[in-house]
Amino acid sequence: MLTVFLIVALGTAPVAADDDVNVSQELQASGSDGELTRGEPEIDASIPDNRIAAGTEESVGIQVQNEGNLRLGTQSERVTGARGVTVEIVNEGPFEVRSGTSSIGSLGEGQMQEVSQRIAVPEDVDPGEYDVTIEVSYSYDYQVSDNSGVVYQRTGSDTIDLTIVVPDDPQFEISDVATDVEPGGDGTATLEIENVGADTATQTRVTITGGGGVTVDGEAAEEVLGDLEPGETATVSVDVEIAATASAGAKPLDLEFAYADGSGIQREEAVTETASLAPAPEQSFSISNVEDTLAVGYNGVVTGEVKNDGTRAVDDAVLVVEPMTDSLFVEDTRYALPPIEPGESTEFRYPVDVSGQADEGPRQVRFTIEYSAGDRSTVEDGPFSERVVIDPRTDEFSLADDGITVEQGGHSEFVIEITNRRDETLSNIDANLYADSPLNSQNDEAFVAELAPGESAKLQFDVFAAPDAPAETHPVELDFEYDTERGETQLSDAYQHPVEVTPSSDDGGIGVVGVIIRAMVVLTAIGIAGTLWWRLR
C-alpha cells in the first residue's frame, strides 16, 4: 500500500494516512490552523495466576490493560481511551466457562482493570498448557479536531489468546469445615483436606491458623497428613476458640502446606489455602407459663416451661433459678433439663420454702440457662426475670363438727371433719388431740392416708370431763403431722377446738361414770402407796 506523508502547517511531523481516511480533506474541513489528534486504544490481557487443578472450579482474574496508540497530534488522552469495555471468553478450550460477559467500563491509556471469570476444569484433563481466547470489545474517539470540534468515533474488538496451566503438582482443597462451637465457646473443628492434584504429596504437613476472632490451638495447629495420593482425603481435627465478640458469618482459616512431590523432592515454597469456618449459631431460649403455690410459712413449688428457640438440639442444658429475695429459699437451684429439640418445650418444677416472716405479695425470681457451646465450654442465655406471688398464711386444714358436748363427770365420742386447704396432696396425716384438765381423752389419735387438695376426711376422738369441771366451753388442741408431695414431713401449728361441758344430769350425783373414775383414782393411790412401802422395807 502506498504511504503518503503530509506536512501540517503548524507542525513538521510526518503522519501515515490509513486507507479509510483522507487526512488532507479533514484538515481542510477543520481549518488549516486547527490541531488534529488521532489514535486508538491498544488492548492487551494476561492471567497472572493461571494455574487451575484438574477437577476443580476457580475464579480466574484476567487483567486487561490499555497501552494506547497515538497516531497524530499531542492530546493522546482524547483518542486512546476505551469506553464500555467488555470481556468475554469466546474459545474456552477444554474447560467449562461458568461466567458470561464481564463489563469493565472505561479504560484510559496506561490503565489496567481486572475481571473475574469462573472456569471449571474437568477431572480428565491432562496436565499441561491450554489456550483460551477472549474478546475485548469497546468504543473510542479515533479523531478529534480542536478548530471544528468534530469528533469521529469507532468501535473496536480485539481477540487475545491466554494460557491456562493444568499443573501436575499436588493441589489441596479444603471442604466440610464443621464445628459445634459458637461465639464465646471453645471445642473441636474438623476439616477435610483432599489432594485434587495429579501428583502424590508425600511427607505432607499443614499449619492452620485462624482469624476474625477464631484462635486455633492457642495460636496455630501443626498437623501431619503423611502421604496423600491424588483424590485422597485426610480429616483433621483442631481445637478452636471463638471470641464472644466475634461478628456473625464465616471466619477465615489459613492453611499452609509443606510436602514433597511423588519423586520425593521437597517443595521449596509452601502452598497456602484459605478455608471458611462457620461458628455454630448462638442458642436462645425462652421461659413461659410460670406458676407458683407459695404462701407465708409453707413449702410450695414454682413451675414453668423452657422452650428451645435455637436452631439445634440441646441435650445438656441446666436451668438455674435465683430468688431475688431472702424470703424464698430453693435448696437445689440447678435443674437438669432433658434433651430439647429446636422449637420444643420442656417443663420444670422447683420446690421452694417460704419464710414464716415473709410478707405476702409479689416477688422476682431470675432464671439462667447454661449449655455447652463446644466440647469444653459452657455459655449462658439469660437472665430471665419472672414474677411469683407469696399468698397470705393459711392453715393446712379446716376443721368442722356438729358440736362437741360432754356432761360433767361424763364421756363423749365425737367426729371432726378435716379438709385439705393446700394446693398439693398431703399424705400420712397423723392427727393428735390434747386435752388439759378438767378434760381428758383416751382416744386421742387418728390417721388419714391421703388427702388431695380440697378433699375431706372424718376423724373420731373421745373426751372425758371431770365431775367438778365447770359447765362452760373448754378448748382441746389438735395438731397434724403429714408428708408433702416433696416427701418432707411437716408438723402443723396447734388448732384449738371448743368442747361444751354441760351440767350432770344426776342432780349433783356423781353417776356411774363418776363412781368408776373415783374408784380408779382410789385404787391408783393405794397401788402407789403399796409400791413405796415395799421399796422402803
Side-chain angles (χ1 to χ4, degrees):
M1 179 178 64
L2 178 64
T3 301
V4 180
F5 291 94
L6 301 177
I7 304 300
V8 181
L10 298 179
T12 59
V15 179
D18 286 348
D19 55 356
D20 59 346
V21 177
N22 190 324
V23 177
S24 61
Q25 293 178 356
E26 291 171 358
L27 286 172
Q28 293 174 2
S30 60
S32 60
D33 58 350
E35 182 176 355
L36 186 69
T37 300
R38 184 175 178 221
E40 66 273 332
E42 188 170 299
I43 303 298
D44 198 4
S46 63
I47 303 178
D49 186 5
N50 64 347
R51 296 168 66 87
I52 311 177
T56 63
E57 179 179 325
E58 294 186 19
S59 291
V60 175
I62 301 176
Q63 293 183 352
V64 180
Q65 56 270 357
N66 177 14
E67 297 299 333
N69 181 21
L70 180 64
R71 293 184 179 275
L72 179 66
T74 60
Q75 303 180 66
S76 63
E77 71 279 358
R78 301 186 64 182
V79 293
T80 57
R83 300 185 302 271
V85 181
T86 60
V87 178
E88 180 182 7
I89 297 179
V90 294
N91 179 11
E92 58 189 23
F95 311 121
E96 298 177 9
V97 178
R98 303 291 173 82
S99 304
T101 302
S102 298
S103 177
I104 291 179
S106 296
L107 195 63
E109 180 182 358
Q111 290 184 341
M112 186 270 291
Q113 294 270 10
E114 183 172 291
V115 296
S116 180
Q117 289 283 306
R118 194 76 179 170
I119 298 177
V121 182
E123 292 185 357
D124 57 356
V125 173
D126 294 330
E129 296 183 355
Y130 298 90
D131 286 340
V132 296
T133 303
I134 67 169
E135 182 177 74
V136 183
S137 301
Y138 51 90
S139 62
Y140 65 99
D141 298 335
Y142 79 95
Q143 181 173 294
V144 295
S145 172
D146 286 345
N147 188 44
S148 67
V150 176
V151 177
Y152 294 88
Q153 296 181 343
R154 278 186 173 177
T155 59
S157 179
D158 296 330
T159 56
I160 304 170
D161 290 334
L162 301 175
T163 300
I164 299 290
V165 177
V166 179
D168 58 1
D169 300 334
Q171 298 287 324
F172 302 100
E173 183 177 275
I174 300 93
S175 62
D176 294 333
V177 182
T179 185
D180 288 333
V181 181
E182 62 182 72
D186 61 276
T188 301
T190 59
L191 304 84
E192 288 192 359
I193 301 173
E194 182 182 1
N195 178 5
V196 296
D199 195 10
T200 299
T202 62
Q203 307 171 33
T204 309
R205 291 171 289 114
V206 61
T207 301
I208 306 173
T209 56
V214 176
T215 304
V216 181
D217 274 5
E219 183 175 357
E222 295 185 1
E223 301 290 333
V224 176
L225 305 182
D227 297 343
L228 285 180
E229 300 285 341
E232 187 176 357
T233 299
T235 300
V236 174
S237 296
V238 295
D239 290 333
V240 296
E241 180 178 355
I242 303 177
T245 56
S247 60
K251 310 303 175 187
L253 294 180
D254 294 325
L255 293 88
E256 185 175 280
F257 295 91
Y259 64 92
D261 61 23
S263 301
I265 300 175
Q266 190 72 32
R267 183 182 177 95
E268 294 183 0
E269 294 183 3
V271 175
T272 58
E273 298 287 344
T274 300
S276 295
L277 174 69
E282 291 187 75
Q283 285 293 121
S284 61
F285 301 86
S286 57
I287 305 289
S288 62
N289 299 330
V290 175
E291 298 180 352
D292 62 85
T293 59
L294 307 179
V296 175
Y298 291 111
N299 298 333
V301 294
V302 173
T303 60
E305 292 184 355
V306 176
K307 183 179 180 182
N308 180 1
D309 297 320
T311 58
R312 61 184 176 90
V314 177
D315 58 6
D316 58 357
V318 175
L319 179 65
V320 183
V321 66
E322 180 184 4
M324 306 307 291
T325 173
D326 293 335
S327 298
L328 302 178
F329 173 73
V330 181
E331 182 174 359
D332 191 353
T333 60
R334 301 176 65 82
Y335 189 94
L337 299 172
I340 317 175
E341 296 293 329
E344 288 188 352
S345 299
T346 186
E347 296 180 350
F348 64 85
R349 184 178 186 274
Y350 280 103
V352 179
D353 297 337
V354 183
S355 169
Q357 284 72 47
D359 294 326
E360 61 183 88
R363 300 290 191 277
Q364 289 289 326
V365 293
R366 190 162 59 188
F367 296 96
T368 304
I369 299 173
E370 298 177 354
Y371 63 98
S372 295
D375 293 344
R376 298 172 302 279
S377 59
T378 300
V379 296
E380 295 181 352
D381 190 24
F384 307 92
S385 292
E386 296 290 338
R387 181 176 180 269
V388 296
V389 177
I390 300 177
D391 294 330
R393 182 183 183 90
T394 58
D395 293 332
E396 298 96 325
F397 305 99
S398 61
L399 309 183
D401 59 51
D402 294 331
I404 305 173
T405 62
V406 61
E407 288 186 1
Q408 293 170 328
H411 163 266
S412 177
E413 293 185 349
F414 63 92
V415 173
I416 293 179
E417 184 177 75
I418 66 170
T419 301
N420 180 8
R421 300 178 62 186
R422 298 294 300 276
D423 292 328
E424 62 176 319
T425 297
L426 306 180
S427 59
N428 300 323
I429 304 168
D430 285 314
N432 291 277
L433 183 141
Y434 305 93
D436 292 330
S437 178
L439 302 180
N440 192 11
S441 176
Q442 297 297 318
N443 180 22
D444 57 3
E445 294 183 357
F447 177 79
V448 178
E450 185 177 275
L451 282 181
E455 188 177 3
S456 301
K458 293 182 178 181
L459 309 178
Q460 185 169 339
F461 302 96
D462 66 11
V463 65
F464 293 87
D468 58 352
E472 60 186 17
T473 301
H474 297 266
V476 292
E477 290 187 350
L478 298 97
D479 65 24
F480 301 89
E481 187 179 79
Y482 58 90
D483 293 339
T484 66
E485 289 182 351
R486 293 163 56 183
E488 297 178 342
T489 300
Q490 301 286 332
L491 180 64
S492 73
D493 291 337
Y495 293 73
Q496 286 195 337
H497 204 67
V499 175
E500 182 71 23
V501 177
T502 61
S504 173
S505 60
D506 193 16
D507 295 329
I510 62 175
V512 177
V513 175
V515 171
I516 295 173
I517 294 175
R518 289 184 179 183
M520 291 175 63
V521 172
V522 171
L523 291 173
T524 301
I526 292 172
I528 293 173
T531 301
L532 291 174
W533 176 82
W534 175 262
R535 290 181 177 178
L536 295 174
R537 277 195 315 156

